């Protein structure tokens, strides 16, 4: 790692921002936390990964990647991550590459593979913004438009028992979207608006029973809704 920084978050804290942590870690994302984002006092860390530590998506390597800890820290509501990139001459290409800035997307690493979260590109500010629900390793890649395959969660079955392993399903989309979860009788048990993680709970906060469920993702970013099934095992 090139540099690490540590910060504290208190449950009672109001909304606050970490702006390019202490301006000491070059290229670090800004983080904007809503009030009450954690349930207990938490020390978080930010670590920049050196190029030789970076992994690839297909044949593309990350432009930059950062590890946020503690690993698998889950938020009570989404936080914003604003990833910068350089285009000093504003020619529409990321400096030092042939990549269009419009193709920049944020991915997260699940310890096995990089998974797309998408992101909203601001070509005036040279940033890509996503909502995150947990800490992990996040990287900036040239990836283009959101695809149905990227949106579908890799988790076929989740085991939401709060042990930090396979507790949620992650949909590969950010920005404006809606995820509906249905039971096998066609009843919608959960509606997620701009929230890309399903933790196995219903709209009233109770735990969904073990079994199979159907999800549907709708967004203007998609040509048509993306659907599939996911299981819950308790």
């Amino acid at each position: 790692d090139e540099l690490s920084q540590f910060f504290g978050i208190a449950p009672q804290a109001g909304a606050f921002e970490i702006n390019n942590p202490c301006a000491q870690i070059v290229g670090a994302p800004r983080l904007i936390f809503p009030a009450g984002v954690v349930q207990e006092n938490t020390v978080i860390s930010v670590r920049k990964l050196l190029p030789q530590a970076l992994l690839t998506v297909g044949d593309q390597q990350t432009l930059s990647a950062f590890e946020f800890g503690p690993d698998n820290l889950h938020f009570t509501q989404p936080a914003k991550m604003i990833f910068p990139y350089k285009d000093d001459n504003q020619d529409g290409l990321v400096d030092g590459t042939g990549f269009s800035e419009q193709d920049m997307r944020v991915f997260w690493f699940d310890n096995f593979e990089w998974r797309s979260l998408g992101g909203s590109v601001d070509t005036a500010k040279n940033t890509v913004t996503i909502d995150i629900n947990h800490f992990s390793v996040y990287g900036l890649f040239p990836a283009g438009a959101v695809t149905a395959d990227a949106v579908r969660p890799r988790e076929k079955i989740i085991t939401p028992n709060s042990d930090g392993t396979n507790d949620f399903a992650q949909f590969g989309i950010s920005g404006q979207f809606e995820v509906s979860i249905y039971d096998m009788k066609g009843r919608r048990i959960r509606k997620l608006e701009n929230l890309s993680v399903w933790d196995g709970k219903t709209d009233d906060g109770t735990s969904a029973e073990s079994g199979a469920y159907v999800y549907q993702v709708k967004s203007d970013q998609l040509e048509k809704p993306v659907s599939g099934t996911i299981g819950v095992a308790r």
Side-chain angles (χ1 to χ4, degrees):
D1 60 303
E2 179 175 294
L3 187 64
S4 297
Q5 292 290 319
F6 298 88
F7 307 88
I9 307 178
Q12 68 274 17
F16 69 100
E17 176 178 350
I18 296 176
N19 186 358
N20 190 6
C22 298
Q24 295 182 35
I25 306 181
V26 176
R30 292 164 51 202
L31 297 173
I32 301 177
F33 295 98
V37 71
V38 294
Q39 297 178 326
E40 58 185 23
N41 290 333
T42 304
V43 175
I44 68 173
S45 62
V46 183
R47 183 168 70 99
K48 183 175 183 177
L49 302 183
L50 292 176
Q52 60 266 30
L54 305 185
L55 302 182
T56 61
V57 171
D59 59 353
Q60 302 290 2
Q61 190 177 54
T62 50
L63 297 181
S64 60
F66 294 82
E67 182 179 40
F68 294 85
D71 189 32
N72 287 325
L73 171 67
H74 291 262
F75 307 139
T76 58
Q77 51 189 310
K80 286 197 178 299
M81 175 177 285
I82 305 172
F83 235 112
Y85 62 86
K86 291 184 69 65
D87 181 18
D88 291 340
N89 60 4
Q90 292 294 300
D91 65 352
L93 300 177
V94 178
D95 290 352
T97 77
F99 302 136
S100 169
E101 60 184 335
Q102 295 283 6
D103 289 341
M104 294 300 102
R105 299 293 183 269
V106 177
F107 285 63
W108 73 284
F109 191 63
D110 68 1
N111 294 321
F112 297 100
E113 62 179 332
W114 286 99
R115 295 167 57 175
S116 176
L117 285 175
S120 175
V121 179
D122 187 325
T123 58
K125 297 180 179 178
N126 301 143
T127 58
V128 182
T129 300
I130 61 166
D131 290 327
I132 62 171
N133 304 92
H134 58 94
F135 272 164
S136 182
V137 174
Y138 291 89
L140 192 63
F141 284 86
V146 175
T147 65
D149 184 59
V151 169
R152 292 189 175 94
R154 298 293 187 267
E155 297 80 16
K156 304 302 181 185
I157 298 176
I158 59 174
T159 55
N161 56 9
S162 301
D163 67 352
T165 301
N166 205 42
D167 282 333
F168 62 89
Q170 173 81 64
F171 296 89
I173 191 168
S174 185
Q176 299 295 312
F177 64 94
E178 177 182 301
V179 180
S180 295
I181 308 292
Y182 301 90
D183 65 18
M184 298 311 288
K185 293 182 179 180
R187 298 174 298 196
R188 186 167 68 184
I189 65 164
R190 186 73 184 271
K191 180 181 179 181
L192 305 170
E193 293 184 287
N194 308 328
L195 183 65
S196 62
V197 168
W198 182 44
D199 58 2
K201 292 185 178 179
T202 65
D203 278 333
D204 62 8
T206 60
S207 298
E209 297 179 355
S210 295
Y213 295 86
V214 175
Y215 63 81
Q216 184 179 70
V217 185
K218 294 181 179 180
S219 173
D220 290 343
Q221 304 172 60
L222 301 166
E223 292 184 3
K224 60 182 180 180
V226 174
S227 300
T229 59
I230 190 166
V232 174
R234 296 189 182 278

